Amino acid sequence: MENVTALLNRTYNYTSTDTDTIRIVHTFSLVAYAVSFLLGTTGNGLVIWIAGLKMKKTVSVVLFLNLAIANFILLSFLPLRITSFALNFHWPFGNFLCKLNSSIVFVNMFVSVFLLTVISIDRCVCVVFPVWTQKHRTSAMASMVAIILWICAVLFSVSYFIMRRTSGSEGYVSCVTNFHKTDYDTYVLRYRVTVILRFMCGFFIPFTVIAVCGSVIILRLRRNRFTVLTKPFKVIIAVLISFFFSWLPFHVISFLKMSYISGEGNTLKSVEIGFPIASSLAYLSSCINPLLYVFIGQDFKATFTTPIQINLENAFSEDIVRCDYMSKSVTTLVSNCTPHYPAKGRIDSFDTEILEG
């Protein structure tokens, strides 16, 4: 059976794809990384500054603020990856940063999808149980939930810190994931478990929950003749779609690499081309969110004439639905997840290194 060293040499030496194709893919990735860093650090930095210091701490603001923090941390480490990429994957930054840089990627992935799931659950609960949410839904609870999600994301990602390491001589050092030093079968088994667990907990299960919450919200609103307010719901949907299509290619390529390493298919060419592109899309997901907060549900001209803080307040608004109550023509606004009815008064009441996996 093939040993681990031979496996790594076979996996990290790209011979099945022509040089011109690899060069084009790498150039695309470098450009995408640069754009992600410039736009993402600026955009998420503004969101952190405005939402963290200038906006009232509602549940939505707390959750979206944590999402911006996760994206900002990820993009802050991007220059390390850009440098390595430009040096043909030579890693000059040492073993600790090799471990930390890779771990940050997956901490971001897990905490982002966990936050998006909680945002979806929160909106679902607001629509289904408005009285309960008025009494129990607080920014303090949202902060506590966010802390728990960060802890869970770190726990899910700690294996990458343990297994990630530098390999090679001083002239050329790679930052690779070694699931076992000597035994091939153990290496393959651990890689299989990692890919499947990452897909199930970091993608499939969260988006299943999100889909269920969305279905419940739609059915509830239709049954009660609600119409969705444009800005907050469109922002949430746009962020969810962005995350879904940004990370789906990464998981698909991870399964293709798993098949290749296990000797079940000749997918090396797809992996060689796919991983740099999938990596780029994952980083673009972190930089695009601030743009969605500003542009979604907004007239293009008004976007540039409205202060950023107002745009963010509209994006994170907790005014959720409008209700035509009892078939009357009077429209009332649901604010802070609490319905208001004219005749009855107030009811109390969401590894990306090439071939890294």
Side-chain angles (χ1 to χ4, degrees):
M1 181 62 69
E2 186 176 23
N3 62 36
V4 173
T5 301
L7 172 65
L8 289 174
N9 290 335
R10 179 166 63 90
T11 304
Y12 285 88
N13 285 280
Y14 317 125
T15 57
S16 69
T17 307
D18 64 89
T19 305
D20 289 339
T21 301
I22 289 293
R23 186 182 297 112
I24 292 171
V25 170
H26 286 189
T27 301
F28 167 81
S29 297
L30 280 173
V31 172
Y33 286 154
V35 171
S36 296
F37 176 73
L38 293 174
L39 291 181
T41 52
T42 303
N44 285 289
L46 282 173
V47 172
I48 293 170
W49 178 56
I50 295 173
L53 300 177
K54 297 185 176 294
M55 293 175 62
K56 179 182 177 182
K57 296 302 181 291
T58 64
V59 171
S60 293
V61 168
V62 169
L63 295 177
F64 278 105
L65 174 60
N66 277 271
L67 184 60
I69 292 172
N71 292 334
F72 185 85
I73 292 173
L74 172 68
L75 295 170
S76 296
F77 281 80
L78 190 50
L80 301 181
R81 189 174 298 270
I82 293 174
T83 303
S84 177
F85 217 92
L87 295 174
N88 195 28
F89 304 106
H90 170 58
W91 184 264
F93 304 109
N95 192 58
F96 176 77
L97 284 179
C98 169
K99 292 174 174 289
L100 182 62
N101 182 63
S102 299
S103 303
I104 289 294
V105 172
F106 294 106
V107 170
N108 170 268
M109 183 195 75
F110 281 114
V111 78
S112 294
V113 75
F114 292 165
L115 285 166
L116 293 175
T117 305
V118 169
I119 289 171
S120 300
I121 294 173
D122 173 65
R123 294 304 166 109
C124 181
V125 172
C126 284
V127 171
V128 178
F129 304 107
V131 176
W132 184 90
T133 56
Q134 176 64 17
K135 294 180 178 179
H136 301 283
R137 182 177 176 273
T138 64
S139 59
M141 176 183 289
S143 298
M144 183 61 65
V145 170
I147 292 173
I148 294 173
L149 296 182
W150 276 99
I151 293 174
C152 291
V154 170
L155 292 177
F156 273 110
S157 306
V158 70
S159 61
Y160 299 98
F161 188 87
I162 295 173
M163 291 183 290
R164 196 73 173 161
R165 64 176 179 82
T166 54
S167 176
S169 61
E170 293 185 2
Y172 186 89
V173 178
S174 300
C175 181
V176 299
T177 305
N178 194 341
F179 293 93
H180 197 274
K181 293 182 178 180
T182 56
D183 188 73
Y184 174 85
D185 292 331
T186 302
Y187 184 104
V188 173
L189 176 62
R190 289 179 178 177
Y191 185 78
R192 282 178 175 270
V193 171
T194 299
V195 170
I196 294 172
L197 182 65
R198 184 170 64 204
F199 173 73
M200 294 300 295
C201 297
F203 195 84
F204 181 76
I205 293 176
F207 273 98
T208 299
V209 174
I210 289 168
V212 170
C213 289
S215 300
V216 170
I217 290 173
I218 292 172
L219 292 174
R220 185 68 178 226
L221 296 182
R222 286 182 175 178
R223 190 180 72 179
N224 292 279
R225 286 177 293 220
F226 291 146
T227 57
V228 178
L229 281 178
T230 56
K231 183 75 173 183
F233 270 103
K234 282 187 176 181
V235 166
I236 294 173
I237 293 171
V239 172
L240 288 171
I241 292 174
S242 170
F243 187 93
F244 181 88
F245 285 104
S246 296
W247 279 97
L248 178 61
F250 173 79
H251 292 288
V252 172
I253 297 298
S254 294
F255 277 102
L256 290 177
K257 183 188 173 184
M258 182 180 72
S259 174
Y260 173 74
I261 288 178
S262 303
E264 298 172 354
N266 185 19
T267 59
L268 180 58
K269 186 172 183 178
S270 299
V271 174
E272 287 176 0
I273 298 174
F275 249 116
I277 297 174
S279 171
S280 304
L281 291 175
Y283 279 97
L284 285 173
S285 170
S286 296
C287 88
I288 200 173
N289 287 346
L291 300 177
L292 298 177
Y293 302 153
V294 174
F295 285 96
I296 292 297
Q298 181 91 332
D299 178 77
F300 185 78
K301 182 178 179 180
T303 299
F304 295 98
T305 58
T306 305
I308 295 178
Q309 182 172 340
I310 300 300
N311 282 324
L312 291 180
E313 288 175 350
N314 291 335
F316 304 155
S317 170
E318 298 192 344
D319 295 338
I320 296 181
V321 294
R322 298 182 190 272
C323 170
D324 186 1
Y325 181 64
M326 296 296 290
S327 300
K328 296 180 180 180
S329 60
V330 179
T331 300
T332 57
L333 180 66
V334 176
S335 180
N336 295 324
C337 305
T338 308
H340 295 261
Y341 302 124
K344 295 190 175 183
R346 179 172 178 173
I347 297 179
D348 290 330
S349 52
F350 201 71
D351 193 272
T352 56
E353 190 80 70
I354 182 172
L355 295 175
E356 172 184 339

